[in-house]
């Protein structure tokens, strides 16, 4: 449970603390969008935390189970893709440059929304490693929310 909770916390430490410090210039986020995202993260954080600290029980040797190993590798690879894709996106334009640019490199060579793909892979890996309804619900929410954003970006 601690390893899985650590994975969840590591993602959000990177997303909430490190990622914002690396952004150079960004578009302002509408207040309503910010509030909805905050509410989702608070509710989901409670749900995942409560599940992993109170309800989820794993047999001895779970960290050696194929489901955990496969899921953990999916989570790790997804997080790496997500972080690398964010790095590519941050460095698309030179300071002062505006306009749309198509990202190149990394997973962007295979999918137009590599950052979204990485995060979706991350949470489906997490769901497999956890094998809980709560983690599966989170992965599906991520798929629908980020998938629709990826589709918009692709268009």
């Amino acid at each position: 449970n601690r390893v899985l909770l650590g994975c969840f916390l590591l993602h959000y430490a990177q997303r909430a603390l490190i990622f914002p410090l690396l952004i150079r210039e960004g578009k302002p986020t509408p207040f309503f969008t910010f509030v909805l995202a905050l509410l989702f993260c608070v509710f989901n954080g409670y749900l995942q935390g409560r599940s992993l600290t109170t309800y989820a029980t794993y047999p001895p040797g779970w960290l050696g189970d194929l489901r955990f190993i496969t899921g953990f590798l999916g989570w790790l690879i997804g997080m790496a893709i997500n972080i690398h894709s964010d790095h590519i996106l941050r460095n698309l334009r030179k300071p002062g440059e505006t306009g749309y640019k198509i990202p190149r490199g990394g997973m962007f060579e295979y999918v137009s929304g590599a950052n979204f793909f990485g995060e979706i892979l991350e949470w489906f890996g997490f769901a497999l490693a956890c094998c809980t309804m709560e983690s599966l619900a989170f992965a599906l929410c991520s798929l629908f929310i980020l998938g629709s954003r990826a589709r918009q970006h692709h268009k």
Side-chain angles (χ1 to χ4, degrees):
N1 294 50
R2 289 180 187 150
V3 171
L4 294 166
L5 193 55
C7 290
F8 185 81
L9 293 173
L10 183 62
H11 169 86
Y12 278 99
Q14 193 281 327
R15 181 58 68 201
L17 303 174
I18 298 167
F19 176 78
L21 295 174
L22 297 174
I23 295 175
R24 292 185 203 149
E25 298 173 25
K27 297 176 191 171
T29 301
F31 183 71
F32 185 67
T33 303
F34 169 77
V35 170
L36 287 178
L38 179 67
L39 289 173
F40 175 81
C41 288
V42 167
F43 175 72
N44 183 55
Y46 172 78
L47 198 64
Q48 301 307 319
R50 182 74 177 196
S51 170
L52 290 171
T53 59
T54 307
Y55 301 111
T57 56
Y58 299 98
W62 179 252
L63 297 181
D65 188 282
L66 187 59
R67 290 168 292 179
F68 174 82
I69 293 169
T70 305
F72 179 78
L73 288 174
W75 174 85
L76 190 63
I77 292 167
M79 187 167 185
I81 291 170
N82 190 7
I83 290 170
H84 184 251
S85 299
D86 285 342
H87 170 75
I88 291 170
L89 290 172
R90 275 193 311 275
N91 293 295
L92 270 179
R93 293 179 206 84
K94 294 178 177 131
E97 206 174 27
T98 59
Y100 183 79
K101 288 197 170 186
I102 296 174
R104 299 279 182 222
M107 284 299 292
F108 284 109
E109 297 301 319
Y110 305 100
V111 61
S112 59
N115 53 329
F116 301 124
F117 170 76
E119 192 154 346
I120 291 166
L121 175 59
E122 188 177 351
W123 295 124
F124 272 92
F126 181 76
L128 181 58
C130 290
C131 288
T132 64
M133 290 303 290
E134 294 85 358
S135 61
L136 178 60
F138 179 35
L140 290 171
C141 283
S142 297
L143 174 64
F144 295 132
I145 293 168
L146 298 177
S148 68
R149 289 184 64 199
R151 188 169 177 250
Q152 282 179 316
H153 283 257
H154 181 76
K155 285 182 180 182

